[in-house]
Amino acid sequence: MTITRRDFLNGVALTIAAGLTPIQVLRASPSGRYYPPALTGLRGSHVGSFEVAHQMGWEKKVFDTDSLPLSEEYDLVVVGGGLSGLSAAWFYRQQHPQARILIIENHDDFGGHAKRNEFEAGGRTIIGYGGSESFQSPSHLFSKTVNDLMQSLGVQTKRFDTAFDRDFYPNLGLSRAVFFDKENFGEDKLVTGDPTPMVADDIAPDKLHARPIAEFINDFPLPEADRQALIALHNAPKDYLAGKSVDEKEQHLSKTSYRDFLLKDVGLSPAAVKYFQSRTNDFMALSIDAVAAYDAYYVGFPGFSAMNLPPISEEAKAEMEEPYIYHFPDGNASVARLLVRSLIPAVAPGKGMEDIVLAKFDYAKLDVADSPIRLRLNSTAVSVHNVTGGVDVGYSRGGQLARVRGKHCVLASYNMMIPYLLRDLSAEQAHALSQNVKYPLVYTKVVIRNWQAFTTLGVHEIYAATQPYSRIKLDYPVDLGDYKHPRDPKQPICLHMVYVPTSPNSGMNARDQARAGRGKLYGTSFEQLEAQLREQLQRMLGAGGFEHHKDILAITVNRWSHGYAGYSNSLFDDEAESEKLMNLARQKVGNVSIANSDAAWSAYAHAAIDEAARAVNELS
């Protein structure tokens, strides 16, 4: 009998449960090579990565590692091998070139959310990103620290101007589309020619192949009155808060969700408002019921142009208009790979951004005894506390506990976990850390046999307001180094699909929605997720000739139960109090400093790097 990849993954789950580590499992595979990026099935927060942490968080289990013998000593121990943890190790080495550093990471791969997915299809390697996607507006948001690091790693952001082919899909005549499902709109219908602008759009405004807004909306499966109301919202908006001062308008919009603004102030019907329901999911990890109307104004949603609101600053406008093209084929996983290769040169040959994409990584070189810098995967920290002369760090690996010591420690895990790890925390700081509740999300990669269904339908990206996956798109067209993006619609390609488990119209605040979504993800099996995405793709693409049972070649579901860092939300938070909590949460404790993107309340790669630099400088 042939053993399928799914059988192998299910075997991994069973074996881990029996006490065998992922390293042992993968080394026992037919290839004998430990290489997590090539694994499909349920990835991201995968089986084996979270169980020990859940014992601490859910069961309040305390792991006693103080009585264990001290196994190793380092100058720095970093907890978390994501972009922030790897950057912290890099910055520390810059200050202390001879330092011995240990990085421990609970997943079976490094990078944190900057994960790499690899597939073999059609006789070629197809690379995708499992999490952290691209640089966000580097010309406007990157600090000198981040730019200096990128330059040291050989990353030239200007290179993406030619690596990313912004005209590729437009030159094929493809547009964006909206999918309406019969459960909510009475019929399954794909409406092409979507003119809706994106924040930091990768497609130039004049290349969208967009239809006039009235023509586009008149194709919606909505009653005539709803269609005319939506057209008026876009083409002839009113001052929906007439009689209020500018200050009163700003206050009202800051404390009113975009959904309530559309329903109560604009007067749209619930059916018409559903069209907007998930427009904010990918960018904000919340549906419009939990996003302030003022934030919707800020990012260009319709309904505000006649309200005499203060204009968005030129700096902010330029930031949002900077194109979203700063993308490696594997997203920011290439930055993680560049950092690891810089820290541990034996892991892969080459240097710079051109060769990193296809560089062969030898994971066996990550944790070598005589190496000054070691990266230890499948290892979950369970205890961190200051001792005389340093910091003791206990961790669990393969069911075994160990204790190491560092002169310093950087915690680059997410904030909510730190109160269960760091024994020296005050109650006030522990509370502040707990307030950054991360938003769950799923990045699913689906390799399809060809993409002729998309060209037949005339689309390259689809927004689905009320389906599980709110955004489905053909992979970004990036050629970098020797890696070439598929050019022929007859060739296999990778689809990127975004699912954010929100709770629309539930009345829950943002943090509770995040917690509910996380519980939903943990309770959903890979088989359920697979059936869900197959059904949705078939309904959207079937009219173009797509047949999921033969056209889908591989699926990787990158489940991030703790995804985007939390941020201050004016619907539920006070901005000044949020700032106070953020600053308190990241305070140094003895010889322990705190990095990660949570420390900035920002889900961007540049924030993770800046926080790493701050954390290391605090230790100096």
Side-chain angles (χ1 to χ4, degrees), residues 3 8 20 72 77 80 126 164 169 272 274 351 366 374 442-443 450 496 504 531 565 572 577 603 609:
I3 301 299
F8 175 67
L20 197 60
E72 298 163 312
V77 177
I126 295 177
F164 194 114
Y169 294 126
K274 276 188 178 180
K351 65 177 183 178
L366 292 176
R374 302 173 71 172
V442 177
Y443 277 5
N450 62 65
H496 177 59
F572 314 109
E577 179 64 19
I609 294 168

Side-chain angles (χ1 to χ4, degrees), residues 582-593:
M582 181 179 70
N583 290 327
L584 174 58
R586 63 189 180 193
Q587 284 185 0
K588 185 168 78 80
V589 179
N591 287 314
V592 180
S593 61

Side-chain angles (χ1 to χ4, degrees), residues 339-609:
L339 284 163
V340 170
R341 189 172 66 178
S342 174
L343 293 166
I344 310 172
V347 78
K351 65 177 183 178
M353 67 186 292
E354 297 287 341
D355 62 34
I356 195 64
V357 179
L358 292 177
K360 299 295 184 184
F361 267 59
D362 183 355
Y363 278 67
K365 300 294 177 59
L366 292 176
D367 192 7
V368 177
D370 59 354
S371 175
I373 301 179
R374 302 173 71 172
L375 173 52
R376 188 162 297 160
L377 302 173
N378 304 297
S379 303
T380 302
V382 297
S383 174
V384 177
H385 64 100
N386 287 279
V387 296
T388 302
V391 182
D392 274 10
V393 178
Y395 67 90
S396 174
R397 188 169 190 250
Q400 300 297 313
L401 295 175
R403 179 170 68 104
V404 298
R405 179 170 296 171
K407 293 179 182 176
H408 299 115
C409 176
V410 171
L411 291 179
S413 57
Y414 58 88
N415 273 13
M416 285 185 65
M417 197 63 213
I418 293 174
Y420 301 102
L421 296 176
L422 185 51
R423 304 289 171 83
D424 312 304
L425 275 178
S426 68
E428 293 77 14
Q429 188 171 357
H431 170 74
L433 285 158
S434 73
Q435 295 309 292
N436 196 278
V437 179
K438 296 176 82 74
Y439 295 105
L441 72 160
V442 177
Y443 277 5
T444 292
K445 317 304 284 192
V446 178
V447 176
I448 53 177
R449 185 168 55 91
N450 62 65
W451 42 292
Q452 289 172 305
F454 283 84
T455 58
T456 298
L457 295 168
V459 301
H460 65 89
E461 181 174 329
I462 302 170
Y463 159 66
T466 49
Q467 286 282 289
Y469 286 91
S470 58
R471 192 179 189 190
I472 301 92
K473 62 187 180 70
L474 295 171
D475 198 12
Y476 289 122
V478 178
D479 294 344
L480 196 59
D482 292 330
Y483 184 78
K484 307 298 179 187
H485 177 266
R487 295 266 161 181
D488 186 347
K490 296 178 183 178
Q491 295 177 331
I493 199 171
C494 191
L495 300 183
H496 177 59
M497 302 179 63
V498 180
Y499 165 40
V500 185
T502 58
S503 302
N505 315 323
S506 64
M508 289 191 286
N509 64 36
R511 289 182 177 85
D512 286 344
Q513 286 204 37
R515 296 182 181 103
R518 183 156 41 252
K520 184 176 182 179
L521 282 186
Y522 281 129
T524 306
S525 69
F526 173 74
E527 287 72 21
Q528 291 171 309
L529 291 167
E530 178 183 11
Q532 180 175 275
L533 72 90
R534 284 180 178 272
E535 179 192 13
Q536 185 173 340
L537 285 176
Q538 188 61 47
R539 290 170 65 177
M540 292 189 303
L541 303 173
F546 180 80
E547 298 180 45
H548 74 88
H549 58 277
K550 69 177 184 180
D551 286 335
I552 292 178
L553 302 180
I555 299 171
T556 298
V557 176
N558 298 282
R559 175 185 66 180
W560 299 113
S561 306
H562 299 270
Y564 284 166
Y567 53 90
S568 184
N569 186 324
S570 64
L571 291 181
F572 314 109
D573 302 319
D574 176 81
E575 186 176 357
E577 179 64 19
S578 294
E579 186 80 11
K580 180 180 176 182
L581 288 169
M582 181 179 70
N583 290 327
L584 174 58
R586 63 189 180 193
Q587 284 185 0
K588 185 168 78 80
V589 179
N591 287 314
V592 180
S593 61
I594 295 172
N596 65 48
S597 65
D598 291 6
W601 284 35
S602 171
Y604 294 123
H606 63 264
I609 294 168

Side-chain angles (χ1 to χ4, degrees), residues 226-237:
D226 285 340
R227 285 185 276 119
Q228 291 308 310
L230 285 171
I231 292 169
L233 176 72
H234 286 82
N235 285 345

Side-chain angles (χ1 to χ4, degrees), residues 172-246:
L172 293 173
L174 305 182
S175 72
R176 293 188 174 113
V178 176
F179 177 72
F180 296 88
D181 61 74
K182 61 184 177 184
E183 296 90 339
N184 288 280
F185 298 96
E187 63 176 298
D188 282 354
K189 187 174 184 179
L190 190 71
V191 179
T192 61
D194 186 355
T196 305
M198 297 281 187
V199 177
D201 208 332
D202 59 293
I203 305 293
D206 60 345
K207 297 291 184 69
L208 291 173
H209 292 294
R211 291 195 280 168
I213 192 69
E215 179 184 327
F216 174 65
I217 291 175
N218 270 323
D219 260 0
F220 290 7
L222 286 170
E224 170 72 15
D226 285 340
R227 285 185 276 119
Q228 291 308 310
L230 285 171
I231 292 169
L233 176 72
H234 286 82
N235 285 345
K238 303 175 183 178
D239 184 350
Y240 301 109
L241 298 178
K244 293 183 181 290
S245 69
V246 172

